[in-house]
Amino acid sequence: MRLPLVTAVTLGLLSGSAQAVNVYSDNGTDLSIFGRFEGGFYNRAANEARDHNQKSGASVEGEARIGVSASTTLVTNIKGIAFGEWEVASESSENGHFNTRYAYTGFDLCQYGTLVFGQGDTAKYITVGMTDVFEHYGNTSNSYWELGGRQEGQIMYVNAVGGYTLGFSYQTPRSGMAEHLNHDTRVKQDLDVNAGYAVALAYNWQDGPAESLAFSLAYDWYDFHQSPAGDRHSFSSGISYGHLNDGLYTAFVYSRDKYQREDHHMSGYEGVLGYTMENGLGFTAGYGYYGYENNRREVSEITGQVAYHFTPAFMAYAEGRFGLGRVDYPAEETHQHEAYMINLQYNF
């Protein structure tokens, strides 16, 4: 079920993947490692998306992730927890640099939720994550990723009770978190965050005729008072049905954003539809749109993936992103290119 998976990401994926290896367990303390290895063919546009300095054209590239999760019992029903995940690509694509995806520590309060501190997903991901189902693409139809998605310097809380999931995150001050392209002036601006927060509420029907149906709402606000863009307010809603990589899965997310010193709103929506057969063969397609003033397209693209799971740990997939053109703003930095890859992936 996609919503519990999203909730698990917000909690911190403390168990890692289904194939995570437990390397230490003694007297209430556990340590596991997990990760993935991936390699395959990337066309030129896909390579440039991985590294804007990459101009060598199509090539075979590789990357790897490694993660560590740990927990220790402090008192009855309270654990200390820690989680980290890092990614490194081949030297030709990312110069071999490690990228921190998650890094935080905190408390598992059992039925009272999980409270962690550090770098991770904001509460908004409980909603926008419903359509974040592709390995690399399909994440440009809302403002969630503008600040990096997995943000540093956060306080993150999530609690799942019955079919309900409640999430809250608070962003502490950070300079130079991202660049924002002002949609009125077409000038890039640095985004320095003074403070911010996100809140989300979701419900997943667990039985009855609506079983596997989920609905979610999210709101976030960021104070960019030192940046020309001003504050940003964002609202997102999402609905999903089915189980990712297990039969039918479909989802739709709508977002609306407003920067204080821009004249109009940004609106975006993304829908995905996928089906995975019992033999491990799956097909997923998605459409994403993100536009200014509802008639000037910044993003309009189709994403598709065909995957075959040889085992739960090993799969082959082909994934592509295809731009559908734009109406206004013929600016170089927003040109869309057809990007695709054919990869093998091993998870543990």
Side-chain angles (χ1 to χ4, degrees), residues 7-67:
T7 302
V9 170
T10 311
L11 285 167
L13 286 170
L14 295 172
S15 60
S17 72
Q19 294 78 37
V21 179
N22 184 273
V23 296
Y24 180 81
S25 181
D26 181 63
N27 196 29
T29 297
D30 292 279
L31 178 68
S32 297
I33 62 171
F34 60 94
R36 83 178 193 189
F37 303 96
E38 184 169 285
F41 174 82
Y42 293 74
N43 78 334
R44 178 171 180 172
N47 270 335
E48 290 179 355
R50 286 155 54 89
D51 184 355
H52 296 296
N53 295 319
Q54 170 67 271
K55 303 297 182 182
S56 61
S59 63
V60 173
E61 301 289 344
E63 65 180 37
R65 291 180 185 174
I66 187 70

Side-chain angles (χ1 to χ4, degrees), residues 274-320:
Y275 189 83
T276 301
M277 297 181 242
E278 291 184 1
N279 64 4
L281 181 63
F283 305 87
T284 307
Y287 172 74
Y289 169 92
Y290 196 49
Y292 183 61
E293 201 180 352
N294 286 325
N295 63 0
R296 297 179 177 178
R297 283 183 285 176
E298 294 292 309
V299 172
S300 180
E301 63 187 24
I302 290 176
T303 304
Q305 183 192 94
V306 179
Y308 181 70
H309 294 79
F310 295 90
T311 70
F314 191 80
M315 77 169 181
Y317 71 91
E319 183 171 299

Side-chain angles (χ1 to χ4, degrees), residues 230-251:
D231 297 351
R232 190 190 79 191
H233 302 261
S234 302
F235 167 81
S236 297
S237 61
I239 187 169
S240 70
Y241 177 80
H243 305 262
L244 186 64
N245 295 327
D246 182 12
L248 175 69
Y249 181 79
T250 185

Side-chain angles (χ1 to χ4, degrees), residues 131-144:
T131 53
D132 183 26
V133 299
F134 297 98
E135 293 298 321
H136 292 269
Y137 299 131
N139 59 0
T140 55
S141 300
N142 56 71
S143 63
Y144 175 74

